[in-house]
Amino acid sequence: VQLQASGGGLVHSGGSLRLSCVAGRTSSNNGMGWFRQAPGKEREFVATIAWNGGNIYYADSVKGRFTISRDRTKNTVYLQMNSLKPEDTAVYYCAASRYAVGSSEAGHYTKWGQGTLVTVSS
């Protein structure tokens, strides 16, 4: 199963981007998550969503600004990012969990996309 993330780019502080992650059909019953890794930092959890669109959780750093959603008919997970800040600059990865609900634990995810770069200028 391949996960293909897209939608990254360069945006000014305060701007918005929407990331998309197309997953294989076999991930339709899995929780999905977004993680990010900034230069020189460890990968961190961003948001997660269960197989049915429920059990949504966010990292405190993005709560109120980012929205995760999924369209099971398109096998696609989205991350709408508003009010972007320079500290949001990172490579963003989507991932499929081994479980039906998502998690903030990277170890629960068995499939990872290639990442898409988001750069927020000040």
Side-chain angles (χ1 to χ4, degrees):
V1 174
Q2 291 185 330
L3 305 180
Q4 295 183 319
S6 62
L10 173 63
V11 63
H12 291 298
S13 181
S16 299
L17 284 174
R18 189 177 79 154
L19 306 184
S20 299
C21 174
V22 179
R25 191 171 300 176
T26 55
S27 291
S28 63
N29 294 325
N30 297 90
M32 298 292 293
W34 286 97
F35 291 76
R36 67 186 182 186
Q37 186 167 19
K41 295 187 177 181
E42 294 186 352
R43 181 176 53 190
E44 65 175 1
F45 165 75
V46 176
T48 185
I49 188 169
W51 72 278
N52 61 354
N55 294 96
I56 291 176
Y57 298 101
Y58 299 97
D60 288 343
S61 59
V62 307
K63 200 172 295 182
R65 300 187 297 121
F66 290 11
T67 302
I68 188 172
S69 61
R70 69 188 299 169
D71 184 339
R72 295 182 74 218
T73 65
K74 298 181 179 179
N75 296 316
T76 302
V77 179
Y78 304 97
L79 186 68
Q80 177 66 45
M81 306 186 295
N82 298 329
S83 302
L84 283 162
K85 305 174 181 179
E87 51 263 45
D88 294 319
T89 294
V91 177
Y92 284 71
Y93 299 90
C94 62
S97 173
R98 69 183 69 191
Y99 306 116
V101 294
S103 166
S104 61
E105 297 292 331
H108 290 181
Y109 294 81
T110 55
K111 302 176 180 67
W112 293 81
Q114 82 286 4
T116 184
L117 176 63
V118 172
T119 304
V120 185
S121 63
S122 57

